[in-house]
Amino acid sequence: MNYVLHNKELDGTLYKPEAPVIFTKADSALLKDGKPFFIPDWSERVDYETELVVRICRLGKGIPARFAHRYYDAVTVGIDFTARDWQERARANGLPWEICKGFDGSAVIGQWVEKEKLPDVQALHFHLDINGTTVQEGCSSDMLYKVDELIAYISTYFTLKTGDLLFTGTPVGVGPVKIDDHLEGWLEERKVLDFNCK
């Protein structure tokens, strides 16, 4: 819910949430090193949500936004897979999102790029190709809540630890995946993500 056009795509209207929308994923959700994503058979529609991901590099609690840049050292592109049918039911009934967002393999991450090797973290372009066609594009300058603001907000409630991963929200253009899809994620001109759906 961190890009206004995605909020319209999801809810039919442009808006900025009163605060960042936060959920957590278990460590069993992590999928890396190009391993395949197995689409769960208990969902009728699993959507890709392409996001910038930052890697937390030090312990922090109650971090002021002006110091937040000290708490992450690398960036990549990730996919926040969402069981959309389950999410719609959860939203309609005021239920938590752990099943629709945190199931096994639902947090895909690419290869890390050190922060110093990239432009300003709030000016990064990224995109996702499926089977050779670009299906989603974004730029971090369009975030409603900037990376440093997210870190400040989250660390109010959760102690951030070295190795924690922060997915920063998806731009417009989410859609379903199917068996045999080939996904490639790009950060600026670097391909950092490459895997298949099974």
Side-chain angles (χ1 to χ4, degrees), residues 3-16:
Y3 290 81
V4 68
L5 289 177
H6 172 62
N7 295 346
K8 182 177 181 181
E9 172 181 57
L10 202 59
D11 292 328
T13 185
L14 301 171
Y15 68 95
K16 179 178 181 176

Side-chain angles (χ1 to χ4, degrees), residues 39-46 82-83 85-86 89 98-104:
I39 300 172
D41 58 8
W42 45 262
S43 175
E44 294 179 5
R45 175 173 169 154
V46 175
T82 303
D85 50 342
W86 283 68
R89 288 198 294 271
E98 275 75 11
I99 291 177
C100 67
K101 288 283 196 179
F103 59 89
D104 288 355

Side-chain angles (χ1 to χ4, degrees), residues 128-160:
L128 176 70
D129 293 352
I130 298 183
N131 304 324
T133 300
T134 299
V135 295
Q136 193 174 23
E137 298 179 83
C139 183
S140 57
S141 63
D142 294 329
M143 288 180 180
L144 297 172
Y145 293 98
K146 307 306 183 194
V147 172
D148 291 355
E149 294 172 324
L150 292 173
I151 288 173
Y153 180 79
I154 293 167
S155 70
T156 301
Y157 308 99
F158 301 95
T159 298
L160 293 177

Side-chain angles (χ1 to χ4, degrees), residues 34-53:
K35 293 179 181 174
F37 170 68
F38 290 90
I39 300 172
D41 58 8
W42 45 262
S43 175
E44 294 179 5
R45 175 173 169 154
V46 175
D47 282 2
Y48 58 82
E49 296 188 7
T50 312
E51 310 192 11
L52 287 181
V53 185

Side-chain angles (χ1 to χ4, degrees), residues 25-26 28-31 37 79-82 98-108 167:
K25 290 180 181 259
S28 56
L30 189 63
L31 186 66
F37 170 68
I79 306 291
D80 166 25
F81 277 119
T82 303
E98 275 75 11
I99 291 177
C100 67
K101 288 283 196 179
F103 59 89
D104 288 355
S106 63
V108 186
F167 284 66

